[in-house]
Amino acid sequence: MAFDNGMIDLRSDTVTQPTPEMRKAMAEAVVGDDVYCEDPTVNNLQETAAELMGKEAGLFVPSGTMANLIAVLAHCQRGDEAIMGNLGHTFLHEVGGMSALGGVFANTIPNQNDGTLSLEDIRNSYREEDVHHPESRLVILENTQNACGGIPLSVDYMRLVGELAHQLGMKLHVDGARIFNATVALNTTAENLAAAADSVMFCLSKGLCAPVGSVLCGSSEFIARSRKIRKQLGGGMRQAGILAAAGLVALKSMVGRLGEDHVHARQIADGLKELPGIEFHKGYPQTNMVFIHIKSNASKNPEELRTYFANKGILFSFSGPEHFRLVTHYWINDADVTRIVNSFKEALV
Ligand SMILES: Cc1ncc(COP(=O)(O)O)c(C=O)c1O
């Protein structure tokens, strides 16, 4: 697909718009009051999501940020700490919600270049019982790991972290905003990737194109607590089946095509790799993200390049002063990929 306005918007997969099939399903959705758990379409989405994640129950929430926040609040008490990567979305981009609203302390350890947290760092950052220490309660992993290049983390690695967290008496939460990009890249299932996790969330509104929403999954008891926290945060929705209907279409129709976005990301990288002044500082794309470093020998500086592209109707985001992130998605087609590569060639040769 391509956007009606002819723009090529690579800033994020969050810019995707609902498909015609989604809009139809939304118009026809059977709804009820979801705060009373009476919306059949929401219930259907939650059950479908839980089954896909291999968990007992699911909870439909307005955003990925709220899903992560609810998970932290449901696992931790005030004064507890959660161990997470210094490049994790929960640390970088969620407005410190866990500490502002939950009094939960972020204990950050470095994300390795391959997106993982080292087992040794997790073990070392866990704090033994001591009168001076907060309780280390939770480990958070992100899969795919966005800021490390959209890297998928393997089933084996996820299992090892889950085992370690549990040995140390902690829980594991997975920010699986793009977990289906990981399943496609690794040729596995979300259930396998989330098997060791006590909770996992995924987003419907990124590469899957639904307009709104994420689903948090875990045990029935965890989801019952999470439901109450969602209400406390003002996230209890009423006839949310209108939104959940798009989510059901997303799960049915959009997961299977994510591989096309990965191919497009690699085609962009293939087209750019010989150009002077460019390097892929987060490695070659493994899913739907291309991270580019504009080197000092490039014929245009990063700001000039971004303006040049904006004038051509091609948008991407800065991921650092000299770094661009290009994200492929349903609304980027083969012709767009050619236009992107040719525009880079014109701009930099
Ligand atoms: C890895 C990751 N987690 C969580 C989120 C938050 O999702 P939302 O924008 O729906 O709050 C994002 C958003 O881009 C993300 O990339």
Side-chain angles (χ1 to χ4, degrees), residues 138-175:
L138 182 66
V139 177
I140 303 177
L141 289 179
E142 185 176 313
N143 200 359
T144 60
Q145 217 301 338
N146 180 341
C148 291
I151 297 183
L153 308 185
S154 72
V155 171
D156 282 348
Y157 171 74
M158 302 294 282
R159 181 179 44 77
L160 288 173
V161 174
E163 283 171 5
L164 176 60
H166 295 152
Q167 260 169 32
L168 296 169
M170 296 189 286
K171 304 284 190 197
L172 172 63
H173 170 67
V174 175
D175 172 349

Side-chain angles (χ1 to χ4, degrees), residues 96-116:
M98 68 178 76
S99 53
L101 303 172
V104 176
F105 179 59
N107 181 348
T108 54
I109 55 180
N111 280 100
Q112 306 298 306
N113 287 340
D114 65 359
T116 61

Side-chain angles (χ1 to χ4, degrees), residues 70-346:
I70 292 174
V72 173
L73 298 184
H75 287 304
C76 302
Q77 302 294 314
R78 292 189 76 78
D80 289 350
E81 70 178 6
I83 297 169
M84 68 199 77
N86 64 341
L87 296 178
H89 198 274
T90 44
F91 178 62
L92 289 180
H93 300 303
E94 300 189 2
V95 208
M98 68 178 76
S99 53
L101 303 172
V104 176
F105 179 59
N107 181 348
T108 54
I109 55 180
N111 280 100
Q112 306 298 306
N113 287 340
D114 65 359
T116 61
L117 306 178
S118 88
L119 297 178
E120 196 187 351
D121 284 346
I122 295 175
R123 195 177 290 105
N124 291 340
S125 63
Y126 168 78
R127 302 204 231 193
E128 301 290 342
E129 173 50 32
D130 183 295
V131 72
H132 301 91
H133 292 169
E135 302 285 341
S136 301
R137 194 75 74 181
L138 182 66
V139 177
I140 303 177
L141 289 179
E142 185 176 313
N143 200 359
T144 60
Q145 217 301 338
N146 180 341
C148 291
I151 297 183
L153 308 185
S154 72
V155 171
D156 282 348
Y157 171 74
M158 302 294 282
R159 181 179 44 77
L160 288 173
V161 174
E163 283 171 5
L164 176 60
H166 295 152
Q167 260 169 32
L168 296 169
M170 296 189 286
K171 304 284 190 197
L172 172 63
H173 170 67
V174 175
D175 172 349
R178 296 180 183 80
I179 198 163
F180 292 110
N181 293 89
T183 65
V184 169
L186 300 171
N187 195 19
T188 186
T189 61
E191 179 170 2
N192 284 342
L193 283 174
D198 300 280
S199 56
V200 54
M201 76 78 162
F202 66 91
C203 294
L204 296 159
S205 59
K206 302 198 164 56
L208 301 185
C209 293
V212 177
S214 297
V215 188
L216 176 63
C217 299
S219 70
S220 303
E221 183 270 334
F222 169 83
I223 291 299
R225 268 185 294 133
S226 297
R227 181 181 298 283
K228 203 154 180 179
I229 296 168
R230 183 187 69 175
K231 188 79 182 91
Q232 197 170 44
L233 294 173
M237 298 176 283
R238 301 294 177 176
Q239 286 70 37
I242 296 273
L243 302 172
L248 282 164
V249 174
L251 290 178
K252 179 169 68 81
S253 307
M254 304 306 284
V255 173
R257 58 148 309 281
L258 288 173
E260 291 171 30
D261 301 338
H262 301 181
V263 170
H264 283 154
R266 278 197 299 277
Q267 286 172 339
I268 293 173
D270 287 345
L272 267 50
K273 68 176 181 226
E274 306 295 350
L275 292 183
I278 280 192
E279 67 183 0
F280 303 115
H281 66 300
K282 308 260 173 169
Y284 224 64
Q286 295 183 42
T287 59
N288 66 331
M289 296 184 182
V290 190
F291 283 78
I292 303 173
H293 174 213
I294 307 300
K295 296 196 286 186
S296 52
N297 67 346
S299 60
K300 291 190 174 54
N301 71 34
E303 198 47 69
E304 286 167 348
L305 262 184
R306 194 161 74 152
T307 308
Y308 176 91
F309 277 91
N311 289 337
K312 285 179 164 285
I314 301 175
L315 307 179
F316 32 73
S317 56
F318 272 104
S319 57
E322 299 166 351
H323 302 97
F324 293 139
R325 189 185 72 162
L326 282 57
V327 184
T328 54
H329 50 74
Y330 180 69
W331 295 88
I332 303 297
N333 60 26
D334 291 342
D336 294 335
V337 170
T338 307
R339 209 171 115 196
I340 294 159
V341 170
N342 288 341
S343 301
F344 266 100
K345 285 183 178 158
E346 282 160 28

